[in-house]
Amino acid sequence: MTALLEVAGLARAFGAVRAVGGVDFAVEDGEVFGVIGPNGSGKTTMFNCILGQLRPDAGRVRFGGAEITGARPLALARLGIGRTFQSLQVFGSLSARDNLIAAAQEYVGTLAGRLLAAPDAGLTGRAEALLARLNLAHVADKPAGSLSYGQQKLLDIGMAFMSGARLVFLDEPAAGVNPRIVGEMAAMLRALKAESGATFVVIEHNMDFVMGLCDRVMVMAEGKRIALGTPAEVRADPQVLEAYLGG
Ligand SMILES: Nc1ncnc2c1ncn2[C@@H]1O[C@H](COP(=O)(O)OP(=O)(O)OP(=O)(O)O)[C@@H](O)[C@H]1O
Ligand SMILES: [Mg+2]
């Protein structure tokens, strides 16, 4: 069976820093795939090389068997690949609902045109369903900037789902979020996965969150993959302990 996402030999340097030094992995359809590793181990750079924000120096990326190496974010979004960034991407002055609708229209026309266009019923319905799923229905009309940080992170996740993505990359969804919302977030991601059938690739430092959510976890250190397996396998791996304790 072909994996949904296949990454082979992916590499990217910044001057003398080998941020990603030749990484291989494959993500199966329907899986929640975690990526962990100490700060600076190349996790975000790897996402950016897969997702068209950065050009890899070497390596190949395939999605559903088709080559997508070096494809631009717009093309990837149209193929059904969504993402969140490590920093929030919400528009603070737009309502939570309008952030979702604008995210779906992100690749159509100008910003002004998107804000002035009447959203179609399908988009509004999708936004309402996501607001309910993310427990944001009661703040749907509030400016996103007035929501708590955790609520804004949830909204950011919702935005990655508005275009009906099949594969969603999340970069530290739980970072800086209060523990109560982190617990709810894991349950919400499971529900979103069940409803959408989407496959997830999730970078996180919160170990309880990662280990509870993911089917398999890849561990990076200094730009390399040092372990890949089930949460139990990865936890028991001496190289993983060393990377965290020694780093
Ligand atoms: N645009 C850039 N220019 C120069 N160096 C960069 C750039 N982006 C990342 N780096 C360097 O590449 C290495 C990997 O960084 P990256 O952000 O990918 O790590 P990370 O695993 O996502 O870390 P964190 O857990 O802190 O988010 C680091 O040494 C970082 O300083
Ligand atoms: Mg990062």
Side-chain angles (χ1 to χ4, degrees):
M1 201 187 83
T2 310
L4 185 63
L5 178 75
E6 295 167 274
V7 174
L10 199 68
R12 169 71 199 219
F14 298 106
V17 177
R18 294 200 75 194
V20 179
V23 171
D24 303 292
F25 66 97
V27 179
E28 302 299 331
D29 201 357
E31 146 168 84
V32 182
F33 188 90
V35 179
I36 66 171
N39 292 116
S41 55
K43 305 179 299 296
T44 296
T45 302
M46 180 184 76
F47 266 30
N48 286 338
C49 287
I50 295 170
L51 295 165
Q53 263 81 32
L54 279 175
R55 189 164 287 282
D57 299 329
R60 300 191 102 69
V61 184
R62 288 157 73 89
F63 174 61
E67 176 96 31
I68 57 162
T69 315
R72 308 303 304 150
L74 168 61
L76 296 173
R78 288 187 175 147
L79 285 174
I81 301 177
R83 81 168 296 181
T84 67
F85 287 85
Q86 196 162 346
S87 54
L88 283 171
Q89 302 292 308
V90 306
F91 295 104
S93 58
L94 286 186
S95 72
R97 181 188 292 103
D98 285 347
N99 265 281
L100 290 172
I101 291 168
Q105 296 174 325
E106 187 169 4
Y107 301 109
V108 186
T110 62
L111 175 64
R114 279 169 1 228
L115 295 177
L116 293 171
D120 70 54
L123 280 190
T124 308
R126 193 190 282 272
E128 295 304 332
L130 278 167
L131 288 164
R133 165 56 61 218
L134 298 168
N135 196 19
L136 296 171
H138 61 298
V139 294
D141 296 311
K142 291 195 174 170
S146 73
L147 307 187
S148 76
Y149 187 74
Q151 288 173 321
Q152 292 189 52
K153 290 286 270 192
L154 290 173
L155 182 60
D156 210 22
I157 292 169
M159 288 161 69
F161 276 88
M162 274 302 288
S163 53
R166 252 181 95 194
L167 176 62
V168 179
F169 289 77
L170 305 173
D171 194 347
E172 301 199 23
V177 174
N178 95 43
R180 184 181 54 77
I181 293 191
V182 172
E184 291 175 5
M185 188 183 276
M188 287 170 186
L189 289 176
R190 276 189 217 100
L192 275 177
K193 180 169 134 54
E195 287 163 8
S196 66
T199 299
F200 290 85
V201 185
V202 186
I203 295 175
E204 238 323 311
H205 285 290
N206 182 323
M207 287 298 155
D208 290 341
F209 181 85
V210 168
M211 298 300 182
L213 181 68
C214 296
D215 299 305
R216 290 190 303 148
V217 176
M218 175 167 81
V219 188
M220 291 180 69
E222 296 175 357
K224 301 273 193 192
R225 163 183 148 184
I226 60 162
L228 174 61
T230 64
E233 286 165 353
V234 159
R235 257 189 226 277
D237 190 316
Q239 265 192 284
V240 175
L241 284 175
E242 192 188 311
Y244 276 93
L245 299 176

